Amino acid sequence: MPLDEYRRKRDFTKSPEPAGNPAAAPRGEARYFCVQKHLASHLHYDLRLEHGGVLLSWAVPKGPSLDWNDKRLAMQVEDHPLEYGSFEGVIPEGYGAGVVMLWDYGTWTPESPDVDAALRKGDFKFTLDGFKLKGSWALIRTKGYGDSGKPSWLLIKHKDHWSGPLDITEFAPLSVKTPGADLADILATDTPDLWTRNPPAKTGDTGKLFQRIIATARALKATPHADPPAAPAKRRRPRGATR
Ligand code: MN
């Protein structure tokens, strides 16, 4: 069954992630894609492409790059349910415990007619039309990475109108689902005190990032009515103007 591995890893009585329905049919011509920024034991970006009723998934530790010189390691992980594609929130414990931000989404189209053949060959080219990622991309399978046993690929941007020397993860770090939200804002909607004693990562840069986000989320939660988003300035009618 397509989602067996996905379900085996998770306890849906403890995680807000969807259990999924693999029978869900792809909706029309446009295939959905998304990238979720996932702060767990390490910060990474999960690229998901709709195909065959599920989301094919790759974990990209450094995230996508618009620079065609960059080859970003992308470890293929278990297929995810289509419903996962809009998920943003907090996974309190268990597999993938941490904060998930919907960092980009949109549609994708394959650049060769037979997607399964391209995946088998390990040379998969596709076009993205998201808010942040656009244009032509490739996933090229490599000869394995360490002893993880997971198929590893390289995610590469083709040179086109949408490529360039821009670190898109730095330039556009926020959610596309909750405008203006960063990881701390997403945690603040849930239970910021959750990991006070036992965060999903305790050491290194990821441990520090968790400490910072937990502290920020707690401060946000403590002052829920402070600093509402700035309202657009009221436009004043020029003196003497008539309707
Ligand atoms: Mn992940």
Side-chain angles (χ1 to χ4, degrees):
M1 290 297 288
L3 296 175
D4 280 355
E5 187 184 351
Y6 173 85
R7 288 178 174 156
R8 196 172 61 243
K9 288 178 170 174
R10 292 168 173 80
D11 178 351
F12 297 107
T13 64
K14 292 180 177 160
S15 171
E17 298 164 290
N21 170 19
R27 298 142 299 188
E29 292 285 317
R31 297 163 182 234
Y32 183 83
F33 96 93
C34 71
V35 177
Q36 280 149 328
K37 183 172 172 178
H38 185 185
L39 177 62
S41 55
H42 293 91
L43 180 65
H44 62 275
Y45 295 75
D46 291 302
L47 169 66
R48 309 192 196 280
L49 304 171
E50 176 183 355
H51 179 61
V54 295
L55 295 172
L56 306 177
S57 296
W58 288 263
V60 185
K62 290 186 175 174
S65 172
L66 302 190
D67 189 333
W68 61 87
N69 293 306
D70 287 339
K71 297 176 175 64
R72 291 287 164 89
L73 176 67
M75 283 164 294
Q76 194 166 5
V77 297
E78 73 274 19
D79 298 341
H80 278 52
L82 293 181
E83 300 95 304
Y84 205 96
S86 58
F87 177 73
E88 178 172 272
V90 178
I91 304 172
E93 59 179 308
Y95 184 72
V99 185
V100 176
M101 172 199 289
L102 188 58
W103 182 79
D104 197 14
Y105 70 87
T107 56
W108 75 279
T109 46
E111 291 182 14
S112 58
D114 191 340
V115 171
D116 291 305
L119 288 166
R120 271 195 308 276
K121 198 176 160 203
D123 182 354
F124 175 38
K125 296 183 174 73
F126 52 95
T127 302
L128 297 179
D129 186 8
F131 289 97
K132 298 174 185 177
L133 306 181
K134 290 180 184 289
S136 181
W137 297 73
L139 275 163
I140 308 295
R141 194 167 54 230
T142 67
K143 293 241 172 68
Y145 178 77
D147 52 4
S148 69
K150 287 177 181 167
S152 87
W153 301 64
L154 297 171
L155 177 66
I156 304 165
K157 179 80 195 76
H158 287 135
K159 199 170 179 178
D160 62 14
H161 288 307
W162 304 103
S163 60
L166 176 72
D167 188 337
I168 188 68
T169 61
E170 287 282 322
F171 182 78
L174 304 179
S175 170
V176 289
K177 181 171 181 175
T178 310
D182 62 15
L183 290 166
D185 294 309
I186 295 166
L187 179 58
T189 64
D190 204 291
T191 322
D193 291 329
L194 186 67
W195 300 311
T196 302
R197 265 178 248 135
N198 196 20
K202 296 186 195 67
T203 57
D205 289 345
T206 315
K208 282 182 201 141
L209 188 51
F210 263 109
Q211 290 311 326
R212 203 161 66 231
I213 284 167
I214 291 165
T216 307
R218 196 180 290 144
L220 286 169
K221 194 106 174 179
T223 52
H225 303 297
D227 299 317
K234 279 203 186 112
R235 197 179 293 162
R236 290 216 189 94
R237 205 175 311 137
R239 192 183 296 259
T242 51
R243 269 178 204 274

mmCIF file of all heavy atoms in Angstrom, residues 106-129:
data_model
loop_
_atom_site.group_PDB
_atom_site.id
_atom_site.type_symbol
_atom_site.label_atom_id
_atom_site.label_comp_id
_atom_site.label_asym_id
_atom_site.label_seq_id
_atom_site.Cartn_x
_atom_site.Cartn_y
_atom_site.Cartn_z
ATOM 1 N N GLY A 106 2.268 25.255 -5.043
ATOM 2 C CA GLY A 106 1.823 25.633 -6.378
ATOM 3 C C GLY A 106 1.587 24.378 -7.188
ATOM 4 O O GLY A 106 1.175 23.353 -6.626
ATOM 5 N N THR A 107 1.859 24.465 -8.483
ATOM 6 C CA THR A 107 1.668 23.297 -9.338
ATOM 7 C C THR A 107 2.992 22.941 -10.017
ATOM 8 O O THR A 107 3.897 23.767 -10.128
ATOM 9 C CB THR A 107 0.599 23.548 -10.413
ATOM 10 O OG1 THR A 107 0.964 24.705 -11.169
ATOM 11 C CG2 THR A 107 -0.761 23.772 -9.783
ATOM 12 N N TRP A 108 3.072 21.691 -10.450
ATOM 13 C CA TRP A 108 4.254 21.253 -11.197
ATOM 14 C C TRP A 108 3.815 20.492 -12.432
ATOM 15 O O TRP A 108 2.719 19.931 -12.479
ATOM 16 C CB TRP A 108 5.178 20.394 -10.331
ATOM 17 C CG TRP A 108 4.710 18.989 -10.076
ATOM 18 C CD1 TRP A 108 3.803 18.582 -9.144
ATOM 19 C CD2 TRP A 108 5.134 17.810 -10.763
ATOM 20 N NE1 TRP A 108 3.634 17.227 -9.203
ATOM 21 C CE2 TRP A 108 4.444 16.727 -10.192
ATOM 22 C CE3 TRP A 108 6.038 17.560 -11.810
ATOM 23 C CZ2 TRP A 108 4.630 15.402 -10.632
ATOM 24 C CZ3 TRP A 108 6.220 16.250 -12.242
ATOM 25 C CH2 TRP A 108 5.522 15.194 -11.652
ATOM 26 N N THR A 109 4.672 20.520 -13.447
ATOM 27 C CA THR A 109 4.421 19.729 -14.644
ATOM 28 C C THR A 109 5.701 18.970 -15.002
ATOM 29 O O THR A 109 6.800 19.512 -14.901
ATOM 30 C CB THR A 109 4.015 20.609 -15.844
ATOM 31 O OG1 THR A 109 4.905 21.727 -15.911
ATOM 32 C CG2 THR A 109 2.603 21.117 -15.705
ATOM 33 N N PRO A 110 5.535 17.693 -15.388
ATOM 34 C CA PRO A 110 6.708 16.915 -15.787
ATOM 35 C C PRO A 110 7.243 17.417 -17.132
ATOM 36 O O PRO A 110 6.468 17.868 -17.970
ATOM 37 C CB PRO A 110 6.177 15.488 -15.908
ATOM 38 C CG PRO A 110 4.694 15.605 -16.009
ATOM 39 C CD PRO A 110 4.284 16.922 -15.451
ATOM 40 N N GLU A 111 8.551 17.326 -17.314
ATOM 41 C CA GLU A 111 9.129 17.744 -18.595
ATOM 42 C C GLU A 111 9.310 16.569 -19.551
ATOM 43 O O GLU A 111 9.728 16.756 -20.688
ATOM 44 C CB GLU A 111 10.452 18.488 -18.358
ATOM 45 C CG GLU A 111 10.210 19.839 -17.697
ATOM 46 C CD GLU A 111 11.466 20.661 -17.474
ATOM 47 O OE1 GLU A 111 12.528 20.331 -18.046
ATOM 48 O OE2 GLU A 111 11.382 21.642 -16.709
ATOM 49 N N SER A 112 9.044 15.344 -19.066
ATOM 50 C CA SER A 112 8.979 14.207 -19.980
ATOM 51 C C SER A 112 7.666 13.490 -19.693
ATOM 52 O O SER A 112 7.188 13.505 -18.557
ATOM 53 C CB SER A 112 10.180 13.276 -19.789
ATOM 54 O OG SER A 112 10.230 12.831 -18.455
ATOM 55 N N PRO A 113 7.065 12.875 -20.723
ATOM 56 C CA PRO A 113 5.706 12.335 -20.550
ATOM 57 C C PRO A 113 5.609 11.214 -19.522
ATOM 58 O O PRO A 113 4.589 11.092 -18.848
ATOM 59 C CB PRO A 113 5.326 11.848 -21.963
ATOM 60 C CG PRO A 113 6.602 11.780 -22.734
ATOM 61 C CD PRO A 113 7.561 12.736 -22.098
ATOM 62 N N ASP A 114 6.646 10.403 -19.374
ATOM 63 C CA ASP A 114 6.548 9.240 -18.486
ATOM 64 C C ASP A 114 7.315 9.499 -17.182
ATOM 65 O O ASP A 114 8.528 9.281 -17.091
ATOM 66 C CB ASP A 114 7.097 8.000 -19.208
ATOM 67 C CG ASP A 114 6.779 6.712 -18.438
ATOM 68 O OD1 ASP A 114 6.497 6.796 -17.215
ATOM 69 O OD2 ASP A 114 6.816 5.632 -19.056
ATOM 70 N N VAL A 115 6.581 9.944 -16.173
ATOM 71 C CA VAL A 115 7.199 10.299 -14.894
ATOM 72 C C VAL A 115 7.832 9.073 -14.228
ATOM 73 O O VAL A 115 8.949 9.141 -13.705
ATOM 74 C CB VAL A 115 6.144 10.939 -13.958
ATOM 75 C CG1 VAL A 115 6.691 11.118 -12.549
ATOM 76 C CG2 VAL A 115 5.685 12.274 -14.531
ATOM 77 N N ASP A 116 7.126 7.942 -14.267
ATOM 78 C CA ASP A 116 7.659 6.742 -13.607
ATOM 79 C C ASP A 116 8.970 6.288 -14.241
ATOM 80 O O ASP A 116 9.901 5.883 -13.539
ATOM 81 C CB ASP A 116 6.623 5.612 -13.649
ATOM 82 C CG ASP A 116 5.435 5.930 -12.754
ATOM 83 O OD1 ASP A 116 5.656 6.188 -11.559
ATOM 84 O OD2 ASP A 116 4.300 5.956 -13.252
ATOM 85 N N ALA A 117 9.034 6.376 -15.568
ATOM 86 C CA ALA A 117 10.277 5.992 -16.257
ATOM 87 C C ALA A 117 11.413 6.934 -15.870
ATOM 88 O O ALA A 117 12.544 6.496 -15.620
ATOM 89 C CB ALA A 117 10.061 6.011 -17.771
ATOM 90 N N ALA A 118 11.110 8.235 -15.788
ATOM 91 C CA ALA A 118 12.136 9.216 -15.412
ATOM 92 C C ALA A 118 12.638 8.961 -13.988
ATOM 93 O O ALA A 118 13.835 9.047 -13.709
ATOM 94 C CB ALA A 118 11.579 10.630 -15.545
ATOM 95 N N LEU A 119 11.707 8.603 -13.086
ATOM 96 C CA LEU A 119 12.093 8.322 -11.695
ATOM 97 C C LEU A 119 12.948 7.056 -11.621
ATOM 98 O O LEU A 119 13.947 7.022 -10.905
ATOM 99 C CB LEU A 119 10.843 8.169 -10.829
ATOM 100 C CG LEU A 119 10.071 9.472 -10.549
ATOM 101 C CD1 LEU A 119 8.690 9.155 -9.977
ATOM 102 C CD2 LEU A 119 10.849 10.372 -9.590
ATOM 103 N N ARG A 120 12.556 6.031 -12.384
ATOM 104 C CA ARG A 120 13.342 4.784 -12.391
ATOM 105 C C ARG A 120 14.741 5.031 -12.910
ATOM 106 O O ARG A 120 15.715 4.517 -12.384
ATOM 107 C CB ARG A 120 12.651 3.726 -13.274
ATOM 108 C CG ARG A 120 11.647 2.858 -12.540
ATOM 109 C CD ARG A 120 11.275 1.608 -13.352
ATOM 110 N NE ARG A 120 10.846 1.905 -14.708
ATOM 111 C CZ ARG A 120 9.589 2.259 -15.041
ATOM 112 N NH1 ARG A 120 8.658 2.336 -14.125
ATOM 113 N NH2 ARG A 120 9.281 2.516 -16.303
ATOM 114 N N LYS A 121 14.811 5.858 -13.940
ATOM 115 C CA LYS A 121 16.101 6.168 -14.560
ATOM 116 C C LYS A 121 16.960 7.034 -13.623
ATOM 117 O O LYS A 121 18.178 7.080 -13.745
ATOM 118 C CB LYS A 121 15.838 6.916 -15.871
ATOM 119 C CG LYS A 121 17.000 6.945 -16.833
ATOM 120 C CD LYS A 121 16.576 7.641 -18.135
ATOM 121 C CE LYS A 121 17.817 8.109 -18.899
ATOM 122 N NZ LYS A 121 17.492 9.201 -19.824
ATOM 123 N N GLY A 122 16.301 7.742 -12.708
ATOM 124 C CA GLY A 122 17.040 8.620 -11.803
ATOM 125 C C GLY A 122 17.401 9.940 -12.451
ATOM 126 O O GLY A 122 18.354 10.609 -12.041
ATOM 127 N N ASP A 123 16.642 10.334 -13.466
ATOM 128 C CA ASP A 123 16.881 11.592 -14.177
ATOM 129 C C ASP A 123 15.515 12.210 -14.455
ATOM 130 O O ASP A 123 14.861 11.883 -15.435
ATOM 131 C CB ASP A 123 17.635 11.311 -15.473
ATOM 132 C CG ASP A 123 17.962 12.586 -16.232
ATOM 133 O OD1 ASP A 123 17.510 13.673 -15.813
ATOM 134 O OD2 ASP A 123 18.672 12.495 -17.257
ATOM 135 N N PHE A 124 15.092 13.066 -13.539
ATOM 136 C CA PHE A 124 13.710 13.506 -13.477
ATOM 137 C C PHE A 124 13.680 15.034 -13.594
ATOM 138 O O PHE A 124 14.200 15.737 -12.739
ATOM 139 C CB PHE A 124 13.138 13.020 -12.133
ATOM 140 C CG PHE A 124 11.749 13.473 -11.806
ATOM 141 C CD1 PHE A 124 10.767 13.574 -12.777
ATOM 142 C CD2 PHE A 124 11.411 13.770 -10.489
ATOM 143 C CE1 PHE A 124 9.486 13.988 -12.449
ATOM 144 C CE2 PHE A 124 10.137 14.176 -10.153
ATOM 145 C CZ PHE A 124 9.170 14.286 -11.139
ATOM 146 N N LYS A 125 13.090 15.516 -14.698
ATOM 147 C CA LYS A 125 13.057 16.960 -14.931
ATOM 148 C C LYS A 125 11.606 17.452 -14.882
ATOM 149 O O LYS A 125 10.701 16.796 -15.383
ATOM 150 C CB LYS A 125 13.681 17.285 -16.290
ATOM 151 C CG LYS A 125 15.155 16.913 -16.356
ATOM 152 C CD LYS A 125 15.768 17.320 -17.681
ATOM 153 C CE LYS A 125 17.267 17.076 -17.678
ATOM 154 N NZ LYS A 125 17.587 15.619 -17.756
ATOM 155 N N PHE A 126 11.432 18.616 -14.261
ATOM 156 C CA PHE A 126 10.072 19.114 -14.056
ATOM 157 C C PHE A 126 10.093 20.631 -13.917
ATOM 158 O O PHE A 126 11.137 21.237 -13.656
ATOM 159 C CB PHE A 126 9.455 18.467 -12.803
ATOM 160 C CG PHE A 126 10.324 18.584 -11.576
ATOM 161 C CD1 PHE A 126 10.136 19.626 -10.672
ATOM 162 C CD2 PHE A 126 11.337 17.676 -11.326
ATOM 163 C CE1 PHE A 126 10.935 19.755 -9.543
ATOM 164 C CE2 PHE A 126 12.150 17.788 -10.204
ATOM 165 C CZ PHE A 126 11.946 18.830 -9.314
ATOM 166 N N THR A 127 8.907 21.210 -14.106
ATOM 167 C CA THR A 127 8.759 22.663 -14.001
ATOM 168 C C THR A 127 7.873 22.984 -12.803
ATOM 169 O O THR A 127 6.835 22.348 -12.617
ATOM 170 C CB THR A 127 8.114 23.225 -15.286
ATOM 171 O OG1 THR A 127 8.941 22.864 -16.396
ATOM 172 C CG2 THR A 127 7.998 24.735 -15.237
ATOM 173 N N LEU A 128 8.304 23.947 -12.000
ATOM 174 C CA LEU A 128 7.532 24.367 -10.827
ATOM 175 C C LEU A 128 6.893 25.726 -11.083
ATOM 176 O O LEU A 128 7.486 26.594 -11.722
ATOM 177 C CB LEU A 128 8.436 24.474 -9.592
ATOM 178 C CG LEU A 128 9.117 23.197 -9.097
ATOM 179 C CD1 LEU A 128 9.981 23.502 -7.875
ATOM 180 C CD2 LEU A 128 8.093 22.118 -8.764
ATOM 181 N N ASP A 129 5.680 25.870 -10.559
ATOM 182 C CA ASP A 129 5.022 27.177 -10.585
ATOM 183 C C ASP A 129 4.468 27.450 -9.186
ATOM 184 O O ASP A 129 3.300 27.228 -8.902
ATOM 185 C CB ASP A 129 3.925 27.199 -11.648
ATOM 186 C CG ASP A 129 3.323 28.593 -11.805
ATOM 187 O OD1 ASP A 129 3.863 29.556 -11.213
ATOM 188 O OD2 ASP A 129 2.304 28.725 -12.513
#
